[in-house]
């Protein structure tokens, strides 16, 4: 699978930049993506008002 080294978060230039692409097997891609999404959720929750 083609993976984005740095998550593009909707930035089209980062999405299409070949320097931001890497090849990963499906299992590794899914693990990496899950880790990145969990980290993003943690960051969002850290700044939320109690």
């Amino acid at each position: 699978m083609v993976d984005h080294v740095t998550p593009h978060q909707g930035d089209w230039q980062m999405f299409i930049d070949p320097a931001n692409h890497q090849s990963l097997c499906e299992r590794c891609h899914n693990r990496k993506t899950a880790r990145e999404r969990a980290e993003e959720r943690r960051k969002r929750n850290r700044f939320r008002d109690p």
Side-chain angles (χ1 to χ4, degrees):
M1 297 190 83
V2 175
D3 178 67
H4 293 94
V5 177
T6 302
H8 60 82
Q9 299 178 344
D11 180 327
W12 181 249
Q13 290 304 313
M14 285 183 70
F15 183 82
I16 63 171
D17 183 1
N20 192 34
H21 298 165
Q22 66 181 344
S23 178
L24 294 177
C25 70
E26 183 176 9
R27 183 177 180 197
C28 292
H29 175 270
N30 292 344
R31 283 181 176 175
K32 178 179 178 276
T33 300
R35 223 178 17 253
E36 290 169 346
R37 289 179 177 169
E39 179 61 28
E40 187 59 35
R41 280 191 304 274
R42 281 192 293 275
K43 284 180 185 178
R44 274 186 269 142
N45 289 337
R46 232 182 280 159
F47 297 110
R48 216 179 245 175
D49 290 337

